[in-house]
Amino acid sequence: MTDARLAASLAEEAGTLLLRTRDAAGEATDARELGRRGDVESNTLLLRRLAEHRPGDAVLSEESADDPARLRAERVWIVDPLDGTREYGRRRADWTVHVALWQAGRGITDAAVAEPDKERVSATDDVGKIGVNRPREKTRILVSDSRPPEFAKRVAEEVGAELVPMGSAGAKAMAVVRGEADAYLHAGGQYEWDSAAPVGIAVAAGLHTSRVDGSELRYNQASPYLPDVLICRKELAGPLLRAVARR
């Protein structure tokens, strides 16, 4: 199995597990407890499967202690077992599972994002190229529905766009990949596991990806804190980055 197929298989399997966990919990289960349970169960599954299929690789996961040995590894899987814990706990559909492979000297090479409630898995080996954007009156910029960038409104006004709130990072990024929106703008706190898989897929789809100052998104760093990201159609990158710089 190729790395991309493995990523897709693991993301899908973890997503299926999370759906079963949510169904078994029942409506009376507290949202925070359901989210905590989902995080633990999905992480346990992903770590077990990676140990089975890629025993020599390192892993960086949101739900596991960080092992500094990964900094010397040639291959590191960067996973978010449940991106959008709050959305999942509240039984919303905009949560995802991220599985990405970083390789030394190459960056993110293979990745998958599962959207279980939509029965959809996107991966770097089957995403293809972005087609013609769907006609719409205004450019759509996706932002967090709980903590959008404080400058997002001014940026949207400058480029004549509308802001659309949505849940998890993966859900927003995949909406841009599918052409349902034109950009995903985030600032104010994220980690490598939030964006690694979505960025890998966005790059494979021919989109622009960067930090909000235009610099490169770098993974498998000593500190996994990677607080901001811009994913958008390439022709929008210049106007959006200039608008952010003037914020």
Side-chain angles (χ1 to χ4, degrees):
M1 190 183 301
T2 66
D3 291 322
R5 283 299 88 203
L6 177 60
S9 175
L10 296 187
E12 182 174 26
E13 185 179 2
T16 299
L17 171 66
L18 285 163
L19 291 174
R20 290 201 303 265
T21 298
R22 186 181 63 186
D23 290 344
E27 294 294 329
T29 303
D30 175 76
R32 288 188 179 182
E33 170 57 23
L34 177 57
R36 185 202 64 79
R37 194 178 304 173
D39 275 326
V40 171
E41 293 186 7
S42 180
N43 189 58
T44 299
L45 171 66
L46 290 174
L47 293 183
R48 184 171 68 246
R49 291 288 187 257
L50 286 170
E52 292 170 359
H53 293 281
R54 299 293 189 270
D57 294 354
V59 180
L60 172 63
S61 170
E62 178 180 16
E63 300 304 322
S64 297
D66 188 5
D67 184 353
R70 67 178 172 80
L71 299 174
R72 302 186 297 276
E74 291 293 313
R75 292 165 52 94
V76 181
W77 292 89
I78 304 175
V79 302
D80 191 340
L82 174 49
D83 180 57
T85 304
R86 178 177 65 95
E87 289 78 13
Y88 173 78
R90 295 179 179 179
R91 294 169 173 78
R92 287 169 45 170
D94 49 349
W95 55 276
T96 52
V97 178
H98 301 176
V99 181
L101 174 63
W102 172 93
Q103 297 193 59
R106 300 174 61 191
I108 302 299
T109 58
D110 304 272
V113 172
E115 299 171 271
D117 273 312
K118 298 178 182 178
E119 299 182 343
R120 181 185 290 135
V121 180
S122 303
T124 47
D125 65 345
D126 66 3
V127 73
K129 291 291 182 181
I130 293 296
V132 177
N133 192 53
R134 295 178 183 180
R136 49 180 143 256
E137 291 184 4
K138 273 194 170 184
T139 297
R140 302 183 76 198
I141 301 176
L142 300 180
V143 294
S144 170
D145 61 358
S146 60
R147 47 194 176 99
E150 55 87 17
F151 54 81
K153 184 177 179 181
R154 295 196 300 275
V155 169
E157 290 173 349
E158 183 168 332
V159 301
E162 62 175 332
L163 296 179
V164 181
M166 189 179 288
S168 78
K172 292 189 282 287
M174 293 308 98
V176 178
V177 167
R178 289 192 299 271
E180 297 167 1
D182 305 291
Y184 164 36
L185 177 64
H186 180 81
Q190 277 188 353
Y191 291 83
E192 291 187 14
W193 44 76
D194 292 301
S195 65
V199 163
I201 294 169
V203 169
L207 294 169
H208 167 89
T209 66
S210 72
R211 297 193 62 176
V212 297
D213 63 359
S215 62
E216 178 185 1
L217 290 155
R218 298 174 63 84
Y219 295 92
N220 197 37
Q221 300 298 294
S223 169
Y225 187 59
L226 191 56
D228 52 76
V229 64
L230 171 64
I231 297 174
C232 66
R233 293 189 289 116
K234 285 191 172 179
E235 64 270 26
L236 288 175
L240 286 173
L241 290 170
R242 287 192 291 271
V244 171
R246 288 191 285 268
R247 67 187 188 274

